[in-house]
Amino acid sequence: MKVEQLSPGGALIRKRVDVAAVFAEHHVGLVRLALVMVGDQATAEDVVQEAFTRTHAGRGRLRDPDKALAYVRSAVFNGCRSVMRRRATVFRRAVPYEPPVWSAESAALVSEERREVLRALLGLPSRQREALTLRYYLDLSDQEIAETMGISGSTARSTIARGLAALGRALGEDS
Amino acid sequence: MNSPMEDRLREALAEAGATVDPSTLSPLHASGRPRVRVDFRLLAAAGAVVLAGAVTAAVLISPGDEQRAAVANPPADQKGETELFVFLCAKYPTKSPDCPGGSPTGQQTRAIQQALQAVPGVSQVLYENSAGAYLRFRRDYAGNKTLLGAVAVADLPTSFHVQLRAGADVNALQAKLKSIRGVSGTSEPKTDNLSASEQGNNNADISVFLCAKGSAAASCGAVAAPGSTKDAPKFTESGKAITLAQQSDLAREIAKTPGVQSVRFESQQEAYENFKRAYASNKAILKATKPSDMPKSFRLQLRPDADSGEVIAQLQHLPGVASVINSKCVTERLTLYQRYGISLPESKVCAS
């Protein structure tokens, strides 16, 4: 009987995931994801670093290896949300903030046509923007998007559809 | 299947994402420390000596016999490895004696990191920024409102956490690091004192040191000569030892003081024994110290709800008292330096 009592604990320990390794492996990808969300690389790197520090501190809590990447992405995602929220407060009464990736200064890096799309994306409600980014940048499935964003699969699906429609309207497409 | 809108969005995102050049990314820095389970606030023994350095401070430590055992047998989980924290100079204050050059630039930091990695015996070098240190700090002092209010993120210096293999020469490395520009100091966060702290808190909350003959404390009647400096003190009149009558008055007074739970008297000989134990590895300082150099003291334990500040204020002006020291405060300040590289005034650490 003793063995049985011990085994669940042992299993949990074995399943523990090294979050740091997940971060190291996906560092560039995560920074890119954050960049697409917040617009500039410096902030994106900060967001990823911050998420890394936080999750690293709580690494003992993560017990499901299959969800490690989704967990890490959520951490980065939440960081991006905080940044966007902070900006919204700071810039509410000031000039609209134009982060570099979709601003005129980055014309050398990203073509005008693309920047137009990015700007339209920025104008969407945050949840739609996030869902679209996960779908069309990371090519995640509905279920993965749902896990990352902490919503249900069907909500993810409908959010993407609505976001896509809104984006089309913003860009003046009739399709 | 794909609508043109989807394609446009996909391409735009891909292009935006591609602007990140992997080679320009700065590496992720880990705080690298698991959550802390030991209550480090109750530091004891040898470590306190490092901070205060003075003979009186050494006497603070009155390790019991279990603690002596703990010091002799370091915890097994250390596997002979030593951890060294290397604190980098902070931005503020811009000018401090340890940091004439101010805080190191990114390049200098990397240079320090590389230098550390190149040291023989070093198995791991982790970097911790202020935010990481602050998270750690918040966790360790979650219940301490005074400290949380006194320390901000910017107060905590960035640091490297160096793991040294067994047998590596820590002292030589520490000496070498002190001379490096941008390094403000080093500490060994896991010294023996931690294991001693786990042994329980049979240490005194407050230590009342009594005047000895020839004491340099003004409270004992010593009068400093004009031109006397800290390094070369001169006295026109040296202090007087506490008289037996004063001592018994004092014992009565302490027993009457509200908040005091128990009192223990420590003789010069006992103090010297403790001192010998604390400095067992330092032959030079042992040779230079005699039992008669050690002050007598009363060791007080307070009730949990007692106001230590008030007790100190009541006792420190009584005749024959050289100084009253809040031991918890001293160890707390030592911990703060050892683990976070910050020196805070006593008023901030122990404001009750």
Side-chain angles (χ1 to χ4, degrees):
Chain A
M1 286 316 284
K2 257 186 185 171
V3 178
E4 271 174 51
Q5 278 175 341
L6 286 173
S7 60
L12 287 179
I13 290 165
R14 243 176 287 125
K15 268 194 183 170
R16 271 184 195 173
V17 185
D18 190 358
V19 179
V22 177
F23 262 99
E25 194 181 333
H26 298 279
H27 186 194
V28 178
L30 291 170
V31 172
R32 286 186 169 147
L33 172 64
L35 169 83
V36 171
M37 295 285 300
V38 301
D40 65 291
Q41 189 175 336
T43 313
E45 282 190 47
D46 285 351
V47 166
V48 175
Q49 170 67 56
E50 175 87 343
F52 178 61
T53 313
R54 279 172 192 276
T55 52
H56 201 55
R59 61 192 157 181
R61 285 196 294 268
L62 184 59
R63 296 203 170 127
D64 189 347
D66 304 330
K67 295 219 172 78
L69 188 56
Y71 171 70
V72 161
R73 274 194 194 124
S74 304
V76 172
F77 238 78
N78 288 332
C80 294
R81 280 185 187 141
S82 309
V83 168
M84 299 307 279
R85 211 175 296 136
R86 222 153 33 225
R87 277 186 191 157
T89 332
V90 173
F91 291 99
R92 192 165 287 151
R93 286 196 193 78
V95 285
Y97 181 67
E98 246 198 339
V101 168
W102 40 80
S103 70
E105 292 98 84
S106 67
L109 296 169
V110 182
S111 68
E112 172 55 32
E113 203 265 347
R114 310 262 192 264
R115 279 185 282 126
E116 199 189 335
V117 178
L118 291 172
R119 275 198 298 272
L121 184 63
L122 186 67
L124 294 183
S126 55
R127 205 192 253 193
Q128 291 180 7
R129 190 165 50 86
E130 289 161 10
L132 287 179
T133 308
L134 289 176
R135 162 53 57 83
Y136 294 106
Y137 183 60
L138 294 180
D139 282 320
L140 297 187
S141 70
D142 289 338
Q143 194 47 44
E144 286 172 310
I145 293 173
E147 267 170 29
T148 304
M149 292 180 64
I151 55 180
S152 78
S154 54
T155 310
R157 211 157 27 245
S158 65
T159 308
I160 291 168
R162 247 180 265 132
L164 214 51
L167 199 62
R169 277 198 299 281
L171 291 169
E173 258 193 24
D174 348 68
S175 63
Chain B
M1 180 75 194
N2 279 354
S3 74
M5 189 62 248
E6 286 180 296
D7 289 337
R8 278 180 76 185
L9 182 54
R10 207 185 291 274
E11 283 162 20
L13 288 171
E15 197 165 315
T19 58
V20 174
D21 179 359
S23 61
T24 61
L25 285 191
S26 48
L28 288 170
H29 298 308
S31 67
R33 299 198 54 77
R35 274 170 297 168
V36 182
R37 286 178 198 87
V38 190
D39 185 2
F40 290 107
R41 275 168 282 178
L42 286 171
L43 262 193
V49 168
V50 181
L51 176 77
V55 171
T56 28
V59 195
L60 264 181
I61 304 120
S62 53
D65 286 351
E66 319 86 47
Q67 284 172 346
R68 188 166 13 161
V71 172
N73 304 310
D77 63 337
Q78 285 190 356
K79 291 188 211 112
E81 291 210 338
T82 322
E83 192 174 26
L84 190 68
F85 282 8
V86 180
F87 298 109
L88 304 184
C89 293
K91 267 193 199 116
Y92 305 103
T94 40
K95 289 269 183 321
S96 85
D98 295 328
C99 296
S103 76
T105 61
Q107 246 176 1
Q108 283 170 333
T109 308
R110 271 191 290 279
I112 295 171
Q113 182 171 11
Q114 276 156 11
L116 285 171
Q117 276 159 347
V119 173
V122 168
S123 60
Q124 193 183 29
V125 178
L126 293 167
Y127 175 85
E128 183 181 67
N129 60 9
S130 302
Y134 191 64
L135 283 176
R136 192 156 57 85
F137 177 79
R138 287 277 298 260
R139 222 163 42 224
D140 290 355
Y141 291 93
N144 192 331
K145 287 222 178 69
T146 321
L147 266 181
L148 286 181
V151 176
V153 185
D155 295 335
L156 294 166
T158 55
S159 58
F160 285 111
H161 299 179
V162 182
Q163 202 80 41
L164 290 157
R165 284 190 208 96
D169 191 346
V170 184
N171 293 340
L173 178 60
Q174 277 182 304
K176 194 175 135 199
L177 284 170
K178 290 234 167 76
S179 61
I180 293 184
R181 210 185 155 99
V183 173
S184 69
T186 58
S187 82
E188 284 176 68
K190 282 190 198 158
T191 28
D192 304 337
N193 46 22
L194 297 189
S195 58
S197 76
E198 288 168 309
Q199 300 290 329
N201 52 356
N202 57 348
N203 269 351
D205 293 329
I206 285 181
S207 300
V208 181
F209 292 106
L210 310 184
C211 289
K213 199 180 165 214
S215 166
S219 46
C220 299
V223 180
S228 165
T229 62
K230 234 182 178 177
D231 297 323
K234 283 180 231 140
F235 297 98
T236 48
E237 203 173 323
S238 61
K240 288 181 186 63
I242 188 169
T243 63
L244 278 176
Q246 279 174 336
Q247 193 174 314
S248 48
D249 281 352
L250 181 60
R252 264 199 298 281
E253 198 64 45
I254 288 174
K256 271 201 308 206
T257 307
V260 175
Q261 192 162 42
S262 68
V263 193
R264 189 168 56 78
F265 179 73
E266 188 174 282
S267 68
Q268 288 185 319
Q269 193 56 44
E270 276 175 81
Y272 185 68
E273 291 301 320
N274 293 332
F275 178 80
K276 272 210 301 210
R277 210 174 297 143
Y279 278 99
S281 57
N282 193 334
K283 297 259 153 53
I285 207 166
L286 279 183
K287 233 172 151 183
T289 314
K290 315 185 285 295
S292 60
D293 292 336
M294 315 302 294
K296 297 182 229 173
S297 58
F298 286 108
R299 308 294 178 146
L300 277 59
Q301 270 198 316
L302 302 186
R303 289 202 187 88
D305 56 339
D307 182 348
S308 57
E310 207 157 283
V311 174
I312 293 174
Q314 273 197 27
L315 297 177
Q316 66 186 357
H317 296 302
L318 295 175
V321 173
S323 60
V324 183
I325 284 175
N326 188 336
S327 317
K328 280 210 172 133
C329 228
V330 172
T331 48
E332 183 113 288
R333 289 176 67 202
L334 168 72
T335 320
L336 282 171
Y337 181 75
Q338 275 192 328
R339 304 200 21 89
Y340 306 100
I342 45 174
S343 318
L344 291 176
E346 201 161 298
S347 56
K348 275 194 180 168
V349 181
C350 309
S352 46

Short mmCIF file of all heavy atoms in Angstrom, two decimals, chain A residues 102-152:
data_model
loop_
_atom_site.label_atom_id
_atom_site.label_comp_id
_atom_site.label_asym_id
_atom_site.label_seq_id
_atom_site.Cartn_x
_atom_site.Cartn_y
_atom_site.Cartn_z
N TRP A 102 4.70 48.75 -37.65
CA TRP A 102 3.72 49.21 -38.63
C TRP A 102 3.77 50.73 -38.84
O TRP A 102 2.87 51.33 -39.35
CB TRP A 102 2.31 48.78 -38.25
CG TRP A 102 2.01 48.89 -36.81
CD1 TRP A 102 1.66 50.01 -36.13
CD2 TRP A 102 2.01 47.83 -35.87
NE1 TRP A 102 1.47 49.72 -34.82
CE2 TRP A 102 1.66 48.39 -34.62
CE3 TRP A 102 2.27 46.47 -35.93
CZ2 TRP A 102 1.57 47.61 -33.46
CZ3 TRP A 102 2.18 45.73 -34.78
CH2 TRP A 102 1.83 46.29 -33.57
N SER A 103 4.85 51.33 -38.39
CA SER A 103 4.95 52.77 -38.57
C SER A 103 5.74 53.10 -39.83
O SER A 103 6.34 52.22 -40.44
CB SER A 103 5.68 53.37 -37.36
OG SER A 103 7.03 52.99 -37.41
N ALA A 104 5.73 54.37 -40.18
CA ALA A 104 6.39 54.81 -41.42
C ALA A 104 7.89 54.57 -41.36
O ALA A 104 8.52 54.29 -42.37
CB ALA A 104 6.11 56.29 -41.65
N GLU A 105 8.46 54.63 -40.15
CA GLU A 105 9.93 54.49 -40.06
C GLU A 105 10.40 53.10 -40.46
O GLU A 105 11.55 52.91 -40.83
CB GLU A 105 10.43 54.76 -38.64
CG GLU A 105 10.29 56.18 -38.18
CD GLU A 105 9.03 56.33 -37.35
OE1 GLU A 105 9.08 56.05 -36.16
OE2 GLU A 105 8.00 56.71 -37.94
N SER A 106 9.53 52.12 -40.35
CA SER A 106 9.97 50.77 -40.66
C SER A 106 9.68 50.41 -42.10
O SER A 106 9.66 49.24 -42.47
CB SER A 106 9.32 49.77 -39.72
OG SER A 106 7.95 49.73 -39.97
N ALA A 107 9.45 51.42 -42.94
CA ALA A 107 9.10 51.16 -44.33
C ALA A 107 10.15 50.29 -45.01
O ALA A 107 9.85 49.50 -45.90
CB ALA A 107 8.95 52.47 -45.09
N ALA A 108 11.40 50.44 -44.58
CA ALA A 108 12.47 49.66 -45.20
C ALA A 108 12.32 48.17 -44.88
O ALA A 108 12.74 47.33 -45.65
CB ALA A 108 13.82 50.15 -44.71
N LEU A 109 11.71 47.89 -43.74
CA LEU A 109 11.61 46.49 -43.32
C LEU A 109 10.32 45.83 -43.80
O LEU A 109 10.31 44.69 -44.21
CB LEU A 109 11.67 46.41 -41.79
CG LEU A 109 12.97 46.85 -41.14
CD1 LEU A 109 12.79 46.98 -39.64
CD2 LEU A 109 14.08 45.86 -41.45
N VAL A 110 9.24 46.58 -43.70
CA VAL A 110 7.94 46.00 -44.02
C VAL A 110 7.26 46.89 -45.06
O VAL A 110 7.21 48.10 -44.89
CB VAL A 110 7.07 45.91 -42.75
CG1 VAL A 110 5.73 45.27 -43.07
CG2 VAL A 110 7.78 45.14 -41.67
N SER A 111 6.73 46.27 -46.11
CA SER A 111 6.16 47.08 -47.19
C SER A 111 4.85 47.74 -46.75
O SER A 111 4.20 47.30 -45.81
CB SER A 111 5.91 46.20 -48.41
OG SER A 111 4.88 45.31 -48.11
N GLU A 112 4.48 48.78 -47.46
CA GLU A 112 3.33 49.59 -47.09
C GLU A 112 2.05 48.74 -47.04
O GLU A 112 1.25 48.84 -46.12
CB GLU A 112 3.16 50.74 -48.09
CG GLU A 112 1.89 51.56 -47.95
CD GLU A 112 1.68 52.13 -46.53
OE1 GLU A 112 2.69 52.43 -45.87
OE2 GLU A 112 0.53 52.23 -46.09
N GLU A 113 1.93 47.88 -48.01
CA GLU A 113 0.72 47.06 -48.08
C GLU A 113 0.57 46.22 -46.81
O GLU A 113 -0.51 46.10 -46.24
CB GLU A 113 0.83 46.18 -49.34
CG GLU A 113 -0.50 45.69 -49.86
CD GLU A 113 -0.86 44.30 -49.34
OE1 GLU A 113 0.01 43.63 -48.76
OE2 GLU A 113 -2.00 43.92 -49.49
N ARG A 114 1.72 45.66 -46.37
CA ARG A 114 1.69 44.82 -45.17
C ARG A 114 1.41 45.65 -43.92
O ARG A 114 0.71 45.22 -43.01
CB ARG A 114 3.05 44.13 -44.99
CG ARG A 114 3.54 43.44 -46.21
CD ARG A 114 3.23 41.96 -46.13
NE ARG A 114 3.95 41.25 -47.16
CZ ARG A 114 3.43 40.92 -48.33
NH1 ARG A 114 2.18 41.25 -48.63
NH2 ARG A 114 4.14 40.26 -49.21
N ARG A 115 2.01 46.83 -43.90
CA ARG A 115 1.83 47.67 -42.72
C ARG A 115 0.37 48.08 -42.58
O ARG A 115 -0.14 48.23 -41.47
CB ARG A 115 2.74 48.89 -42.78
CG ARG A 115 4.17 48.56 -42.34
CD ARG A 115 5.04 49.77 -42.27
NE ARG A 115 5.48 50.15 -43.60
CZ ARG A 115 5.32 51.36 -44.11
NH1 ARG A 115 4.74 52.30 -43.40
NH2 ARG A 115 5.75 51.62 -45.31
N GLU A 116 -0.29 48.24 -43.73
CA GLU A 116 -1.70 48.60 -43.69
C GLU A 116 -2.49 47.49 -42.98
O GLU A 116 -3.35 47.75 -42.13
CB GLU A 116 -2.18 48.78 -45.14
CG GLU A 116 -3.46 49.56 -45.25
CD GLU A 116 -4.00 49.53 -46.67
OE1 GLU A 116 -3.20 49.33 -47.61
OE2 GLU A 116 -5.22 49.67 -46.82
N VAL A 117 -2.15 46.27 -43.33
CA VAL A 117 -2.83 45.13 -42.70
C VAL A 117 -2.54 45.12 -41.19
O VAL A 117 -3.45 44.93 -40.37
CB VAL A 117 -2.37 43.80 -43.34
CG1 VAL A 117 -3.06 42.63 -42.65
CG2 VAL A 117 -2.66 43.80 -44.82
N LEU A 118 -1.27 45.34 -40.86
CA LEU A 118 -0.90 45.32 -39.44
C LEU A 118 -1.62 46.42 -38.65
O LEU A 118 -2.05 46.20 -37.53
CB LEU A 118 0.62 45.47 -39.29
CG LEU A 118 1.47 44.30 -39.77
CD1 LEU A 118 2.94 44.66 -39.75
CD2 LEU A 118 1.21 43.08 -38.92
N ARG A 119 -1.72 47.58 -39.27
CA ARG A 119 -2.43 48.68 -38.60
C ARG A 119 -3.89 48.34 -38.39
O ARG A 119 -4.47 48.62 -37.35
CB ARG A 119 -2.28 49.97 -39.40
CG ARG A 119 -1.00 50.73 -39.11
CD ARG A 119 -1.11 52.17 -39.57
NE ARG A 119 -1.31 52.27 -41.02
CZ ARG A 119 -0.31 52.31 -41.90
NH1 ARG A 119 0.94 52.29 -41.49
NH2 ARG A 119 -0.56 52.40 -43.18
N ALA A 120 -4.50 47.74 -39.43
CA ALA A 120 -5.89 47.34 -39.31
C ALA A 120 -6.05 46.31 -38.18
O ALA A 120 -7.00 46.36 -37.40
CB ALA A 120 -6.38 46.76 -40.63
N LEU A 121 -5.08 45.42 -38.11
CA LEU A 121 -5.11 44.38 -37.07
C LEU A 121 -5.04 45.03 -35.68
O LEU A 121 -5.74 44.63 -34.76
CB LEU A 121 -3.92 43.44 -37.27
CG LEU A 121 -3.80 42.24 -36.36
CD1 LEU A 121 -4.98 41.31 -36.53
CD2 LEU A 121 -2.51 41.49 -36.61
N LEU A 122 -4.22 46.06 -35.59
CA LEU A 122 -4.07 46.76 -34.31
C LEU A 122 -5.39 47.42 -33.89
O LEU A 122 -5.65 47.58 -32.71
CB LEU A 122 -2.96 47.81 -34.44
CG LEU A 122 -2.55 48.53 -33.18
CD1 LEU A 122 -1.89 47.58 -32.22
CD2 LEU A 122 -1.61 49.68 -33.49
N GLY A 123 -6.20 47.77 -34.90
CA GLY A 123 -7.45 48.45 -34.58
C GLY A 123 -8.54 47.52 -34.08
O GLY A 123 -9.58 47.97 -33.61
N LEU A 124 -8.32 46.23 -34.18
CA LEU A 124 -9.36 45.27 -33.77
C LEU A 124 -9.42 45.16 -32.25
O LEU A 124 -8.47 45.48 -31.57
CB LEU A 124 -9.05 43.88 -34.35
CG LEU A 124 -9.10 43.73 -35.86
CD1 LEU A 124 -8.82 42.27 -36.22
CD2 LEU A 124 -10.43 44.16 -36.42
N PRO A 125 -10.55 44.68 -31.73
CA PRO A 125 -10.60 44.36 -30.30
C PRO A 125 -9.49 43.38 -29.95
O PRO A 125 -9.15 42.53 -30.78
CB PRO A 125 -11.97 43.71 -30.12
CG PRO A 125 -12.77 44.15 -31.30
CD PRO A 125 -11.82 44.41 -32.40
N SER A 126 -8.98 43.49 -28.73
CA SER A 126 -7.75 42.76 -28.43
C SER A 126 -7.91 41.25 -28.58
O SER A 126 -7.02 40.56 -29.05
CB SER A 126 -7.27 43.12 -27.03
OG SER A 126 -8.30 42.87 -26.11
N ARG A 127 -9.07 40.71 -28.21
CA ARG A 127 -9.21 39.27 -28.28
C ARG A 127 -9.18 38.77 -29.72
O ARG A 127 -8.55 37.76 -30.04
CB ARG A 127 -10.51 38.84 -27.61
CG ARG A 127 -10.40 37.41 -27.11
CD ARG A 127 -11.73 36.92 -26.72
NE ARG A 127 -11.85 36.83 -25.28
CZ ARG A 127 -12.85 36.18 -24.68
NH1 ARG A 127 -13.78 35.60 -25.39
NH2 ARG A 127 -12.91 36.14 -23.38
N GLN A 128 -9.82 39.52 -30.60
CA GLN A 128 -9.80 39.13 -32.01
C GLN A 128 -8.39 39.23 -32.57
O GLN A 128 -7.92 38.37 -33.31
CB GLN A 128 -10.72 40.05 -32.82
CG GLN A 128 -12.19 39.84 -32.50
CD GLN A 128 -13.09 40.75 -33.30
OE1 GLN A 128 -12.64 41.45 -34.20
NE2 GLN A 128 -14.37 40.74 -32.97
N ARG A 129 -7.72 40.29 -32.16
CA ARG A 129 -6.36 40.48 -32.63
C ARG A 129 -5.46 39.33 -32.20
O ARG A 129 -4.69 38.78 -32.98
CB ARG A 129 -5.82 41.80 -32.07
CG ARG A 129 -4.52 42.26 -32.66
CD ARG A 129 -4.28 43.71 -32.30
NE ARG A 129 -4.47 43.93 -30.87
CZ ARG A 129 -3.50 43.76 -29.98
NH1 ARG A 129 -2.31 43.38 -30.36
NH2 ARG A 129 -3.72 43.96 -28.70
N GLU A 130 -5.62 38.94 -30.94
CA GLU A 130 -4.80 37.85 -30.42
C GLU A 130 -5.10 36.55 -31.14
O GLU A 130 -4.19 35.82 -31.55
CB GLU A 130 -5.07 37.68 -28.92
CG GLU A 130 -4.50 38.80 -28.09
CD GLU A 130 -5.13 38.87 -26.71
OE1 GLU A 130 -5.87 37.94 -26.36
OE2 GLU A 130 -4.89 39.86 -26.02
N ALA A 131 -6.38 36.27 -31.33
CA ALA A 131 -6.76 35.02 -31.97
C ALA A 131 -6.24 34.97 -33.41
O ALA A 131 -5.72 33.95 -33.87
CB ALA A 131 -8.28 34.85 -31.95
N LEU A 132 -6.37 36.10 -34.09
CA LEU A 132 -5.90 36.13 -35.49
C LEU A 132 -4.38 35.95 -35.54
O LEU A 132 -3.86 35.28 -36.43
CB LEU A 132 -6.29 37.46 -36.15
CG LEU A 132 -7.77 37.62 -36.49
CD1 LEU A 132 -8.03 38.98 -37.11
CD2 LEU A 132 -8.22 36.52 -37.43
N THR A 133 -3.69 36.55 -34.59
CA THR A 133 -2.24 36.42 -34.59
C THR A 133 -1.83 34.97 -34.40
O THR A 133 -0.96 34.44 -35.08
CB THR A 133 -1.63 37.27 -33.46
OG1 THR A 133 -2.13 38.60 -33.58
CG2 THR A 133 -0.12 37.31 -33.56
N LEU A 134 -2.49 34.32 -33.45
CA LEU A 134 -2.15 32.92 -33.19
C LEU A 134 -2.48 32.05 -34.40
O LEU A 134 -1.73 31.14 -34.75
CB LEU A 134 -2.91 32.42 -31.96
CG LEU A 134 -2.46 32.99 -30.62
CD1 LEU A 134 -3.35 32.49 -29.51
CD2 LEU A 134 -1.02 32.60 -30.34
N ARG A 135 -3.62 32.32 -35.04
CA ARG A 135 -4.01 31.50 -36.17
C ARG A 135 -3.10 31.76 -37.39
O ARG A 135 -2.55 30.84 -37.97
CB ARG A 135 -5.48 31.78 -36.52
CG ARG A 135 -5.93 31.34 -37.90
CD ARG A 135 -5.63 29.87 -38.21
NE ARG A 135 -6.21 28.92 -37.27
CZ ARG A 135 -7.47 28.49 -37.35
NH1 ARG A 135 -8.27 28.93 -38.27
NH2 ARG A 135 -7.90 27.61 -36.47
N TYR A 136 -2.91 33.01 -37.72
CA TYR A 136 -2.25 33.28 -39.00
C TYR A 136 -0.75 33.54 -38.87
O TYR A 136 -0.06 33.61 -39.85
CB TYR A 136 -2.96 34.44 -39.72
CG TYR A 136 -4.34 34.03 -40.11
CD1 TYR A 136 -5.45 34.50 -39.42
CD2 TYR A 136 -4.53 33.10 -41.13
CE1 TYR A 136 -6.71 34.07 -39.76
CE2 TYR A 136 -5.80 32.67 -41.46
CZ TYR A 136 -6.89 33.14 -40.78
OH TYR A 136 -8.14 32.71 -41.10
N TYR A 137 -0.29 33.70 -37.67
CA TYR A 137 1.16 33.80 -37.53
C TYR A 137 1.74 32.46 -37.10
O TYR A 137 2.70 31.97 -37.67
CB TYR A 137 1.56 34.91 -36.55
CG TYR A 137 3.05 35.05 -36.46
CD1 TYR A 137 3.79 35.36 -37.60
CD2 TYR A 137 3.73 34.84 -35.28
CE1 TYR A 137 5.16 35.45 -37.55
CE2 TYR A 137 5.11 34.93 -35.22
CZ TYR A 137 5.82 35.24 -36.36
OH TYR A 137 7.17 35.32 -36.31
N LEU A 138 1.14 31.85 -36.10
CA LEU A 138 1.69 30.59 -35.59
C LEU A 138 1.01 29.37 -36.19
O LEU A 138 1.44 28.25 -35.96
CB LEU A 138 1.55 30.55 -34.06
CG LEU A 138 2.38 31.58 -33.30
CD1 LEU A 138 2.14 31.43 -31.81
CD2 LEU A 138 3.86 31.42 -33.61
N ASP A 139 -0.07 29.62 -36.97
CA ASP A 139 -0.80 28.50 -37.58
C ASP A 139 -1.25 27.48 -36.55
O ASP A 139 -1.12 26.27 -36.74
CB ASP A 139 0.07 27.81 -38.64
CG ASP A 139 0.09 28.62 -39.93
OD1 ASP A 139 -0.98 29.13 -40.30
OD2 ASP A 139 1.17 28.76 -40.53
N LEU A 140 -1.75 27.97 -35.45
CA LEU A 140 -2.22 27.05 -34.41
C LEU A 140 -3.62 26.56 -34.75
O LEU A 140 -4.37 27.24 -35.45
CB LEU A 140 -2.26 27.75 -33.05
CG LEU A 140 -0.93 28.23 -32.49
CD1 LEU A 140 -1.13 28.73 -31.07
CD2 LEU A 140 0.10 27.12 -32.50
N SER A 141 -3.97 25.41 -34.22
CA SER A 141 -5.33 24.89 -34.40
C SER A 141 -6.26 25.62 -33.44
O SER A 141 -5.81 26.28 -32.50
CB SER A 141 -5.36 23.40 -34.11
OG SER A 141 -5.17 23.20 -32.73
N ASP A 142 -7.56 25.46 -33.68
CA ASP A 142 -8.54 26.10 -32.80
C ASP A 142 -8.30 25.72 -31.34
O ASP A 142 -8.36 26.56 -30.45
CB ASP A 142 -9.96 25.68 -33.19
CG ASP A 142 -10.38 26.32 -34.51
OD1 ASP A 142 -9.79 27.35 -34.86
OD2 ASP A 142 -11.27 25.75 -35.16
N GLN A 143 -8.03 24.42 -31.16
CA GLN A 143 -7.86 23.94 -29.79
C GLN A 143 -6.63 24.56 -29.13
O GLN A 143 -6.67 24.98 -27.97
CB GLN A 143 -7.75 22.40 -29.81
CG GLN A 143 -7.91 21.76 -28.45
CD GLN A 143 -9.12 22.31 -27.68
OE1 GLN A 143 -10.21 22.47 -28.24
NE2 GLN A 143 -8.92 22.66 -26.42
N GLU A 144 -5.54 24.66 -29.88
CA GLU A 144 -4.32 25.25 -29.31
C GLU A 144 -4.54 26.73 -28.99
O GLU A 144 -4.08 27.23 -27.97
CB GLU A 144 -3.17 25.10 -30.31
CG GLU A 144 -2.63 23.69 -30.41
CD GLU A 144 -1.63 23.52 -31.54
OE1 GLU A 144 -1.93 23.94 -32.68
OE2 GLU A 144 -0.55 23.00 -31.28
N ILE A 145 -5.23 27.40 -29.89
CA ILE A 145 -5.52 28.82 -29.64
C ILE A 145 -6.35 28.95 -28.38
O ILE A 145 -6.09 29.80 -27.52
CB ILE A 145 -6.27 29.43 -30.85
CG1 ILE A 145 -5.35 29.46 -32.06
CG2 ILE A 145 -6.77 30.83 -30.51
CD1 ILE A 145 -6.03 29.88 -33.34
N ALA A 146 -7.32 28.08 -28.27
CA ALA A 146 -8.20 28.11 -27.10
C ALA A 146 -7.39 27.92 -25.83
O ALA A 146 -7.58 28.62 -24.85
CB ALA A 146 -9.27 27.03 -27.22
N GLU A 147 -6.45 26.98 -25.86
CA GLU A 147 -5.64 26.72 -24.67
C GLU A 147 -4.76 27.90 -24.33
O GLU A 147 -4.61 28.27 -23.17
CB GLU A 147 -4.77 25.48 -24.91
CG GLU A 147 -5.40 24.20 -24.42
CD GLU A 147 -4.63 22.98 -24.87
OE1 GLU A 147 -3.40 23.09 -25.05
OE2 GLU A 147 -5.26 21.93 -25.05
N THR A 148 -4.16 28.47 -25.36
CA THR A 148 -3.26 29.61 -25.10
C THR A 148 -4.02 30.80 -24.53
O THR A 148 -3.54 31.48 -23.65
CB THR A 148 -2.55 30.01 -26.40
OG1 THR A 148 -1.87 28.88 -26.91
CG2 THR A 148 -1.56 31.13 -26.15
N MET A 149 -5.21 31.03 -25.09
CA MET A 149 -5.95 32.22 -24.66
C MET A 149 -6.84 31.95 -23.47
O MET A 149 -7.44 32.88 -22.92
CB MET A 149 -6.81 32.75 -25.82
CG MET A 149 -5.96 33.30 -26.96
SD MET A 149 -6.96 33.90 -28.30
CE MET A 149 -7.83 35.24 -27.53
N GLY A 150 -6.97 30.70 -23.11
CA GLY A 150 -7.83 30.37 -21.98
C GLY A 150 -9.30 30.55 -22.29
O GLY A 150 -10.09 31.01 -21.46
N ILE A 151 -9.70 30.22 -23.52
CA ILE A 151 -11.12 30.29 -23.88
C ILE A 151 -11.52 28.94 -24.46
O ILE A 151 -10.67 28.07 -24.62
CB ILE A 151 -11.39 31.42 -24.92
CG1 ILE A 151 -10.49 31.23 -26.14
CG2 ILE A 151 -11.18 32.77 -24.29
CD1 ILE A 151 -10.68 32.30 -27.20
N SER A 152 -12.77 28.75 -24.81
CA SER A 152 -13.18 27.45 -25.34
C SER A 152 -12.92 27.41 -26.85
O SER A 152 -12.76 28.44 -27.50
CB SER A 152 -14.66 27.21 -25.07
OG SER A 152 -15.43 27.95 -25.99
#
